[in-house]
Amino acid sequence: GGFSSARTLTVDATAPTASTIVSPVELQNVSGVVVINVSASDATAGIAAVEIWRNNTLLANLTSSPYQYNWLTTSEPNQPFALVARAIDKASNTLNSSTINVTVDNLPGAPVITRPTAGQNVSGTITVDVVVSESNVQKVQLLDDGAVSLTNSSPAATTSFGWNTLNVADGSHTLSAKVTDYANNTNTSTGVSVTVDNLAPQTAEITSPANNT
């Protein structure tokens, strides 16, 4: 029998030469959409993929440069996270980046008071409607002139309060709503000024002409 032609094989047991998270940076506070940028290279076989891990959970598997991932932090709890990038070359050798520690810190969206309206005269017990834009809110509070008047710990998209104006003095009052998320971040609505008027009109009396004249 004959001999087959010789083949040259390249054995690559060397890890990629670089795997670095360029951004975000160590100890950064992040919010909204964060672009995670990774620099990766391999001197022998080339990079096949870059994985991005968040607290040991795979976020992304990127197979082409630039190695970027848009991380939507609003779907995460407000807390610290550890980010690691893993470069994988075409021979399946891997190299992990240094860990980048970041803290997700998203303020809840500001609530909006839709009822009553600014400038309205109110009396008795009125309904105050607050529209809440976030789902991760643990409580909504109604403030009267900056002081907490009522609290709802099971808020809905529209949270309603029954505000008894008989418990406050007649005159101008500024109502606002404050939301608190599960990381104890807060946001407060724009104030709505109303006038409380619970006093009955004074008795009208005819002073002239005199009676029987």
Side-chain angles (χ1 to χ4, degrees):
F3 294 96
S4 63
S5 59
R7 294 183 180 180
T8 300
L9 300 177
T10 300
V11 176
D12 180 8
T14 304
T17 52
S19 178
T20 304
I21 295 178
V22 179
S23 65
V25 297
E26 176 71 1
L27 300 181
Q28 183 175 335
N29 284 350
V30 296
S31 60
V33 177
V34 177
V35 180
I36 302 175
N37 286 292
V38 179
S39 174
S41 60
D42 182 77
T44 307
I47 295 294
V50 170
E51 296 175 344
I52 298 176
W53 294 77
R54 184 259 289 125
N55 285 8
N56 298 316
T57 298
L58 182 64
L59 277 181
N61 182 45
L62 309 173
T63 57
S64 61
S65 179
Y67 303 111
Q68 296 179 340
Y69 175 70
N70 293 331
W71 181 27
L72 182 61
T73 67
T74 53
S75 63
E76 307 280 8
N78 289 303
Q79 66 179 44
F81 288 95
L83 301 177
V84 173
R86 177 176 297 158
I88 306 170
D89 69 15
K90 293 179 181 178
S92 298
N93 300 303
T94 64
L95 177 67
N96 285 354
S97 71
S98 298
T99 299
I100 297 296
N101 296 288
V102 299
T103 298
V104 170
D105 187 9
N106 287 296
L107 286 178
V112 177
I113 294 178
T114 57
R115 182 170 58 166
T117 56
Q120 188 173 332
N121 289 340
V122 296
S123 61
T125 298
I126 68 165
T127 299
V128 180
D129 287 336
V130 179
V131 174
V132 180
S133 61
E134 301 289 338
S135 61
N136 64 333
V137 169
Q138 63 165 310
K139 65 181 176 181
V140 178
Q141 294 173 302
L142 178 65
L143 310 182
D144 173 20
D145 293 334
V148 175
S149 176
L150 296 166
T151 298
N152 187 318
S153 297
S154 299
T158 298
T159 299
S160 297
F161 294 93
W163 184 45
N164 188 351
T165 67
L166 295 172
N167 294 329
V168 301
D170 276 19
S172 178
H173 290 260
T174 299
L175 299 177
S176 56
K178 176 179 168 183
V179 293
T180 303
D181 68 14
Y182 288 96
N184 291 320
N185 295 306
T186 64
N187 207 344
T188 304
S189 73
T190 301
V192 173
S193 294
V194 297
T195 299
V196 174
D197 183 7
N198 285 302
L199 289 178
Q202 294 183 345
T203 303
E205 180 180 354
I206 297 176
T207 57
S208 66
N211 191 29
N212 296 326
T213 61

